[in-house]
Amino acid sequence: MSEKKEVSNIEGFSSRRFQKLTEENRELKAYVAEVMQRLRQNERLFSRMFELESQVLKSTDPEDLCFTLLRGLRSGFELDFVRFWLDRSSFMGGHKLDALSERDLVWVEKGEIKQMGLSRKRAWLVQLSAESSFEWLDAQDQHLGSIALLTLGDLDKPFGVLGVGSVDRDRFAPDQSSDFLQHLSQVVGMTLEHAVAREHLARLSVTDTLTGSHNRRFLQPHSHQPLSQWFGKTKVACLYADVDQFKLLNDRLGHEAGDEILAAVSKALRAHVRSNDPLIRMGGDEFVLLLPGCSEEKAREIAEQTVQAVAGEELKDGEKTSISVGVAFSAVDKDMAVKALIAVADQAMYVAKALGGNRFEIAESDSGSGDES
């Protein structure tokens, strides 16, 4: 009897042990399946992230970079909300970023990021509700269930915040891992800083430090191009300005006065034109101003105003200076090279100088007629 009971107990124990092993095996399989699913999700996530990073690194300027990030995050990560908040007092404040709408970008004032407490760590995960909201969100963002706030730049001196959001309250719940988001925060911050630095260096390389105008290096890539390739199919006016007796003034009054003259000429040429009209210091005391879409009447007016403005400048010891300006226009029926138009304006400038200076001359047209001031 005892043997039968012992056998029965052993069988019962074995049965229970087998059931437990079966249950543990089922749980293990479920766990492995869940881990594999997460690994596949993470693989897809990092694949999309790598693709986005590659696109970002190809961006040519801060505006293009921000636009690429916004578009890539929305489409590649199924987000319902993506927005930059950038500190107006930071290095980003000098960039207009016109391609970004008010929904894409909001400027905040100095210290606001720290006041919100966002500079204490890289990533903040927030579940949103009527009782728990984020004050930088608008009324039109009330449909969001959760957001992640990524601090950009050095935490001691952040320059912005990138917000990404979802209607799903669990997407960015505080108990979720934020490793990926912290990585994204650092990538976005560093690439924006590098993009601004690259743009600044590129601008310096084609900028004349004395006058703030472009230098000859800026013109080099365009010099042999047809005007239409640079400005499109439109008539272009060109002003070529040269300071009268500059070397004598520079020798008599000193280099500091010479620098003041060049700065005054640059300012006078800029006074009545659009901010994107190329003004180039060709070297020494010579300047070229290109005016796409400018009428002949307007170009004459600008030339006259520039000559008068420079003549009105008073230098050291009451000395005066003046400039000679040549004005040329591209032919309507001929797509001139940029350097050819500049050469015609240069010739007209020499005519103005030969006639005594302090004047402008219009280059002769193809028909042979010319005008003078």
Side-chain angles (χ1 to χ4, degrees), residues 56-57 65 69 186-196 198:
V56 162
L57 291 172
L65 193 154
L69 276 169
Q186 291 179 311
V187 168
V188 173
M190 286 190 295
T191 50
L192 269 173
E193 287 177 337
H194 290 165
V196 169
R198 284 198 306 271

Side-chain angles (χ1 to χ4, degrees), residues 31-44:
Y31 174 73
V32 170
E34 183 182 349
V35 169
M36 291 302 295
Q37 184 181 6
R38 287 181 181 176
L39 285 173
R40 284 191 291 271
Q41 288 175 340
N42 285 340
E43 185 179 1
R44 289 193 295 271

